[in-house]
Amino acid sequence: MAITPTVIKGERREEFGKGSARRLRRDGKIPGVLYEKGIENIHFAVDLIEMTAIVRNDGANAIVELELDGEKLMAMVKHIDQNVITLDIDHIDLFGIKRGEKVTVEVPVVMEGEAAPGAVVLQETDYVEIEIDALSIPDELTVSIEGKEIGDALYATDVKLPEGAELISDAETLIVNVTYEQVDEDLEAEAEAAEEGGAEAGAESDAPAEEKGEE
């Protein structure tokens, strides 16, 4: 589904440094930088609440139209710095894009369906990287575990991609591993085997040199 970018009004920044950033945050705004090939970086400030809502609703790959001095610049959220205590956005980086341009993004993978009875499904990788039209970035990708049995595995190539998307992640990246649940008896047996192996190794290392066949 094509994305309709959210418009957010901003103002150009002429002052930089920690002091300027603190003043902006005190006024309910956050500093940011827009990067785009072929043009100088644009330093801006936007409303904290508006930008937080966009990121929360549209995700880490949110597409926006940054309105500056009456001009709308389409961009994708590239990086967010968050306050470690309040978790508020402290700074945001945007990457300028054009309509029809393809971008490389990480998209979360979710499982759908049900595995065979008794199978335990472990998701080994949460994201895959794809190349796709900037206005067609999906919120998530799916991989089907329907009927999968113990011993089965699913890889990046098994993830469903939207039309026009290309997989960038290694095709052999393990996404899902289908295994069995280890009961207490299994874990105890493994622990005992490990202890016995360790004891034997220790006894061998403590044996006199002549018993080991050493000269």
Side-chain angles (χ1 to χ4, degrees):
M1 178 183 293
I3 296 172
T4 300
T6 302
V7 177
I8 182 168
K9 290 186 177 182
E11 58 189 51
R12 293 182 184 270
R13 288 192 294 130
E14 303 297 338
E15 296 182 351
F16 309 100
K18 294 182 178 179
S20 173
R22 280 196 295 267
R23 287 191 293 274
L24 285 172
R25 297 184 192 110
R26 187 174 60 236
D27 294 337
K29 300 176 182 178
I30 54 172
V33 180
L34 185 148
Y35 305 90
E36 186 172 347
K37 297 175 183 177
I39 68 172
E40 292 186 6
N41 296 342
I42 298 174
H43 299 265
F44 63 89
V46 290
D47 185 84
L48 169 62
I49 295 177
E50 288 184 32
M51 182 55 75
T52 300
I54 290 172
V55 173
R56 182 183 295 119
N57 295 332
D58 299 341
N61 297 318
I63 303 295
V64 300
E65 282 192 322
L66 178 64
E67 185 174 341
L68 294 173
D69 303 327
E71 181 183 8
K72 292 180 181 178
L73 306 171
M74 191 162 66
M76 179 177 68
V77 173
K78 197 64 176 176
H79 180 74
I80 293 173
D81 288 329
Q82 283 185 297
N83 185 290
V84 295
I85 298 176
T86 66
L87 297 182
D88 285 341
I89 299 175
D90 276 349
H91 186 279
I92 191 163
D93 290 344
L94 302 180
F95 182 73
I97 55 178
K98 305 296 184 186
R99 293 185 182 276
E101 180 179 355
K102 288 193 172 184
V103 294
T104 299
V105 293
E106 284 189 339
V107 181
V109 178
V110 298
M111 298 181 291
E112 63 177 6
E114 294 186 7
V120 174
V121 180
L122 303 177
Q123 185 162 349
E124 306 289 351
T125 304
D126 295 323
Y127 292 82
V128 295
E129 196 172 39
I130 65 173
E131 184 181 69
I132 191 169
D133 186 295
L135 295 183
S136 299
I137 301 172
D139 293 331
E140 60 188 24
L141 300 171
T142 61
V143 62
S144 176
I145 61 170
E146 185 64 36
K148 297 302 178 183
E149 300 179 345
I150 295 172
D152 287 340
L154 297 170
Y155 300 89
T157 50
D158 297 308
V159 176
K160 296 179 182 177
L161 299 184
E163 184 178 353
E166 178 183 351
L167 180 67
I168 300 300
S169 293
D170 187 332
E172 297 303 313
T173 299
L174 180 62
I175 303 297
V176 173
N177 186 25
V178 185
T179 183
Y180 62 93
E181 183 176 5
Q182 285 191 306
V183 295
D184 291 342
E185 290 82 355
D186 294 331
L187 297 175
E188 290 176 3
E190 289 181 4
E192 290 176 2
E195 289 178 2
E196 291 176 0
E200 291 176 0
E204 183 177 343
S205 64
D206 292 338
E210 58 271 17
E211 292 182 14
K212 298 179 184 177
E214 295 181 1
E215 296 181 0

